[in-house]
């Protein structure tokens, strides 16, 4: 992939994700209602605390269900959405997305392009796996995160194995 093709690929994703942020529905109510914590529109991956991908060096945070987001904060782009009911570092250590990210970073370095890949965690995920998977799916389709296989139809798979 050329430098121009990479930048064009990223720009298309960025434009979609910006429109997904801008088009979040805002529905008024007559009564004060607590927001649904599992509403995909209430989760902003870009507002979460970012951690270096080597977060595995940190102490174990315990077994807590969560959603996690791989973000290139240089543009920013949401690259991957995942869920886990196990300690995130255990899940992340064995994940296929690792190779996509390595290839993505390597290509940026080859062309001396800015890249700042990090990971963020959202611990409000439902303990019920079916509900958690549904929320993960809704977020994947909303953001069209390019490293999730469900979105390869939109962006291709330029960083695959």
């Amino acid at each position: 992939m050329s430098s121009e093709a990479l930048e064009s690929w990223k720009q298309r994703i960025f434009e979609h994700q910006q429109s997904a942020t801008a088009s979040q529905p805002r529905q008024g109510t007559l009564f004060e209602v607590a927001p649904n914590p599992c509403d995909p529109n209430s989760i902003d991956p870009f507002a979460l605390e970012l951690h270096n991908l080597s977060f595995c060096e940190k102490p174990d945070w315990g077994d807590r269900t969560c959603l996690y987001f791989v973000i290139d904060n240089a543009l920013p782009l949401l690259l991957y959405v995942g869920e886990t009911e196990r300690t995130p570092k255990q899940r992340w250590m064995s994940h296929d997305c690792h190779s996509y990210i390595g290839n993505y970073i390597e290509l940026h370095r080859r062309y001396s392009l800015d890249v700042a890949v990090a990971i963020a965690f959202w611990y409000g995920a439902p303990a019920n796996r079916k509900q958690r998977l549904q929320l993960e799916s809704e977020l994947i389709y909303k953001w069209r995160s390019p490293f999730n296989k469900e979105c390869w139809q939109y962006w291709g798979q330029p960083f695959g194995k």
Side-chain angles (χ1 to χ4, degrees), residues 69-123:
F69 305 91
V70 177
I71 296 171
D72 182 350
N73 209 34
L75 192 48
L77 292 177
L78 177 58
L79 299 172
Y80 185 82
V81 177
E83 65 80 29
T84 184
E85 65 183 350
R86 297 182 293 163
T87 303
K89 80 176 183 183
Q90 291 172 346
R91 168 91 167 121
W92 185 246
M93 294 290 286
S94 63
H95 205 283
D96 285 344
C97 187
H98 247 104
S99 64
Y100 306 153
I101 292 167
N103 294 339
Y104 177 83
I105 291 171
E106 180 182 329
L107 193 59
H108 280 76
R109 290 187 178 148
R110 181 183 315 155
Y111 296 127
S112 300
L113 298 173
D114 289 339
V115 64
V117 178
I119 193 165
F121 303 98
W122 184 74
Y123 288 101

Side-chain angles (χ1 to χ4, degrees), residues 38 67 125-138:
C38 293
L67 295 176
N128 178 284
R129 180 157 170 80
K130 185 176 179 180
Q131 292 173 340
R132 195 171 57 252
L133 288 171
Q134 177 64 36
L135 180 58
E136 175 195 34
S137 179
E138 290 171 5

Side-chain angles (χ1 to χ4, degrees), residues 137-154:
S137 179
E138 290 171 5
L139 289 163
I140 289 168
Y141 285 108
K142 172 184 176 174
W143 296 103
R144 291 190 183 172
S145 42
F147 291 175
N148 287 96
K149 66 181 177 231
E150 296 90 337
C151 298
W152 294 345
Q153 63 184 323
Y154 305 114

Side-chain angles (χ1 to χ4, degrees), residues 36-48:
N36 176 0
C38 293
D39 174 8
N41 291 318
S42 70
I43 302 168
D44 181 358
F46 299 104
L48 299 172

